[in-house]
Amino acid sequence: MSLAIQVENLNKRYQLGSIGHGMLYRDLQSWWAKLRGTEDPNASIGESKPKMNEPFWALRDVSFSVAQGEIVGIIGRNGAGKSTLLKILSRVTSPTSGSIKIKGKLASLLEVGTGFHPELTGRENVYLNGAILGMSKKEIRQKFDEIIAFAEIEQFIDTPVKRYSSGMYVRLAFAVAAHLEPDILVVDEVLAVGDIQFQKKCLQKMGDIGRSGCTVLIVSHNITTIKRLCSEGVLLDKGKVVSIGGINKVTEDYINTVIGHGQSGVYVHEGDTSAAMSLSRVELLDREGNITPQVPFNEPFSVKIHYNVNQPLQNASVWVGLETADGIVVFNSCDYDSDVSLLGLRQAGRFTATVNIPAYMLNTGYYRLVVGLNCNRPVVSFARVETVTIEVMEQGCLDAILFPTSDRKGVLQPRLEWVTDRIG
C-alpha cells in the first residue's frame, strides 16, 4: 500500500521571550524599547521579564508514516505537540528541520469556524468558508443543500451569523468542513461540537469519510472516540513519539503514561492561593482512614479535600468527579448535595470536605479523580485539577470468588436488589 504521509526527523523550535503581540506597530514598539534597553511599553503590569533567547522544542525528531486510506489518531497530554504537528502538516507553520512528504490534496480542520464573517449570512459564509478550505464554487453549489441539511439551520440560512447561537454557528462551520472531499483530512479536536445528537452525526460523518478511502489524521483527548474511529495511533509526549502502531496498543500506552502520575493516594496543590477559594491537598482514604492509591471493589473508600476560603463567599461549592482512564465521566458530586446550606455564606478559614463512595460501586480498573472549587452564581472556577489515580482491584477480595468483576461489563458495578418468586 502506498504512503499518503511520511514524516522524517521533524523538529520545531520556538524562541521563548520573542516579540509577538499580534500587531505590527506593537511589535515595533517592543523592538525599539528592547534596542534602547528601556521598559517595554506593551508589557503587562507586574509581568516578570522572560528569559530571552531560551529555546523551546515543541517537536523533537518526530518520524512516522501513514498509509493511504488509514485513519490515525494522534494522542498525548496537553502540550505534547499534537496541534503543532498538525499545523506543520497543514502548512500553517513551518518546521525548524526535518522533512514531510504528502501525496494528494490535503485539507485541514484545525479550528471550527475559521474564516466566518459575523456580518455575512449563513449562505454567504458557506461559500466564503468553503473557498478558504479549498472548495471550488461549483463544488460548494453542488453540496450546498446537503451542507445546510446536515447543519439543521435551513430556517436561518439567510440570517447574519452574528445572530446565531453558538451551537448553530459551530454546526454550520463543521458541516462545511465535513463535506470536503480531499485525499487527506487533518482534524484537530473539533468533534465535540453542538449537542449530543449532533455530536453523533459528526462521529458518523467522520466514520463515513474514513470508509470512503480518505486518509484521516485526528487529534482528540477522547480516547473512546479515537478507538472508535481509528485503526492506527501515534502517542506524543513532550514533543517526541513514544508509541506508534495499532490503536489499542497506543491507547493502552497512553493510559499507562497517564496513570503513572498521582499513584501515591495523596495530591498536594501548589497553584494560585490568592483566589477567593484555593485547594491545598487531596487524600484518597480506605475504610480505615489510611491514605492509599488502591481500593478493593467490595469496600467503601473516601476522598478528603483540604481547601481554604480566603474571603467570605456566597454560592460556593466543592466538587469531585471520577473519570475512567480513557476519559469517560463516571459521576460528579458537589458538597451541597448533602447540605444545601453550604450555598449560603462561607466565612474565611481552612476547611476539609469528605465524600464517601460506597462498596460494590465501581468495576475494577484505573480511574482519575478530578477536584474543583466553584462559585455557582456568578459561575467562576477557582480550581479544576486532576489529582490522584485510583486503582479499584479484586485481588485479595474474598467476594471476588462469588462476584468476579472481570466477568461484568460497564464502569459501574452496583449490587442491586433482586426478588425471585416461584409462580409455578
Side-chain angles (χ1 to χ4, degrees):
M1 186 178 292
S2 61
L3 295 180
I5 300 174
Q6 186 164 5
V7 177
E8 294 182 348
N9 307 118
L10 189 67
N11 294 280
K12 179 61 178 178
R13 184 182 70 175
Y14 290 101
Q15 206 71 25
L16 298 184
S18 297
I19 296 170
H21 301 292
M23 300 182 74
L24 180 59
Y25 81 92
R26 288 188 177 177
D27 286 350
L28 290 173
Q29 285 179 331
S30 298
W31 171 80
W32 183 244
K34 178 183 175 183
L35 193 66
R36 294 185 300 164
T38 59
E39 184 178 354
D40 185 350
N42 297 306
S44 301
I45 296 174
E47 179 182 346
S48 58
K49 187 176 181 180
K51 296 179 180 179
M52 304 301 291
N53 301 319
E54 182 179 337
F56 170 74
W57 291 92
L59 295 173
R60 291 297 301 263
D61 198 28
V62 172
S63 299
F64 66 93
S65 59
V66 179
Q68 211 163 16
E70 280 187 341
I71 306 180
V72 179
I74 311 293
I75 58 177
R77 293 170 166 270
N78 289 329
K82 306 182 297 297
S83 295
T84 301
L85 173 61
L86 295 198
K87 286 177 181 177
I88 292 175
L89 292 174
S90 305
R91 298 183 177 90
V92 173
T93 187
S94 58
T96 302
S97 62
S99 67
I100 301 172
K101 297 178 182 178
I102 296 175
K103 183 180 180 181
K105 176 184 175 183
L106 184 145
S108 58
L109 183 51
L110 302 183
E111 185 176 344
V112 172
T114 299
F116 266 39
H117 194 293
E119 298 295 336
L120 300 181
T121 66
R123 183 185 303 275
E124 293 165 334
N125 270 300
V126 168
Y127 282 90
L128 175 62
N129 196 237
I132 291 173
L133 293 174
M135 299 171 71
S136 68
K137 189 173 182 179
K138 181 179 178 181
E139 287 177 315
I140 299 170
R141 191 182 298 115
Q142 290 174 341
K143 297 179 181 180
F144 184 84
D145 292 339
E146 188 179 348
I147 290 170
I148 303 309
F150 187 91
E152 303 172 1
I153 60 162
E154 295 94 332
Q155 185 179 354
F156 309 101
I157 191 59
D158 291 310
T159 302
V161 297
K162 68 181 181 180
R163 298 194 177 99
Y164 283 13
S165 69
S166 58
M168 293 166 61
Y169 187 94
V170 296
R171 288 207 307 269
L172 181 60
F174 184 88
V176 176
H179 287 80
L180 295 168
E181 290 185 355
D183 301 307
I184 303 168
L185 180 62
V186 172
V187 184
D188 187 4
E189 202 67 79
V190 296
L191 298 180
V193 297
D195 54 30
I196 294 175
Q197 287 301 114
F198 191 75
Q199 288 180 30
K200 290 181 179 179
K201 286 180 64 175
C202 292
L203 291 172
Q204 184 177 356
K205 184 64 178 178
M206 293 304 299
D208 293 341
I209 291 172
R211 286 187 290 272
S212 70
C214 176
T215 304
V216 184
L217 266 66
I218 300 175
V219 161
S220 178
H221 286 98
N222 190 320
I223 301 302
T224 303
T225 298
I226 288 289
K227 292 179 73 172
R228 175 179 170 182
L229 293 176
C230 304
S231 57
E232 302 291 317
V234 177
L235 173 60
L236 295 177
D237 188 39
K238 297 179 180 178
K240 298 181 179 180
V241 175
V242 295
S243 180
I244 190 169
I247 195 62
N248 289 330
K249 171 187 177 298
V250 173
T251 53
E252 184 178 342
D253 291 341
Y254 171 69
I255 290 170
N256 288 335
T257 63
V258 171
I259 65 175
H261 299 268
Q263 288 188 290
S264 64
V266 61
Y267 170 84
V268 178
H269 188 58
E270 298 178 354
D272 183 16
T273 58
S274 63
M277 291 180 74
S278 57
L279 183 67
S280 59
R281 182 180 173 93
V282 178
E283 299 168 344
L284 181 66
L285 306 175
D286 64 16
R287 65 187 306 171
E288 306 297 332
N290 301 312
I291 294 175
T292 178
Q294 299 172 318
V295 293
F297 81 97
N298 62 339
E299 293 184 7
F301 64 94
S302 58
V303 178
K304 189 172 185 178
I305 303 163
H306 300 251
Y307 66 98
N308 302 315
V309 177
N310 300 317
Q311 64 186 54
L313 275 177
Q314 289 271 7
N315 299 309
S317 62
V318 181
W319 62 271
V320 297
L322 200 66
E323 300 177 357
T324 62
D326 58 359
I328 297 174
V329 177
V330 180
F331 66 77
N332 285 293
S333 181
C334 299
D335 58 353
Y336 60 79
D337 290 347
S338 299
D339 185 1
V340 73
S341 68
L342 289 172
L343 290 173
L345 182 66
R346 297 196 193 208
Q347 297 293 346
R350 298 168 60 193
F351 297 87
T352 63
T354 303
V355 58
N356 299 308
I357 291 91
Y360 301 111
M361 182 177 180
L362 299 172
N363 203 347
T364 53
Y366 289 95
Y367 300 85
R368 291 291 290 173
L369 188 71
V370 184
V371 173
L373 306 175
N374 278 6
C375 180
N376 301 296
R377 288 192 302 274
V379 178
V380 178
S381 177
F382 302 119
R384 185 194 184 281
V385 183
E386 291 184 5
T387 57
V388 299
T389 298
I390 304 173
E391 181 186 5
V392 178
M393 55 184 187
E394 67 178 10
Q395 290 87 350
C397 305
L398 295 177
D399 285 358
I401 300 173
L402 298 175
F403 309 107
T405 61
S406 58
D407 294 342
R408 303 186 182 212
K409 303 298 182 183
V411 176
L412 299 179
Q413 295 297 319
R415 295 299 178 258
L416 304 177
E417 182 179 349
W418 287 62
V419 176
T420 302
D421 294 317
R422 180 170 182 172
I423 58 174

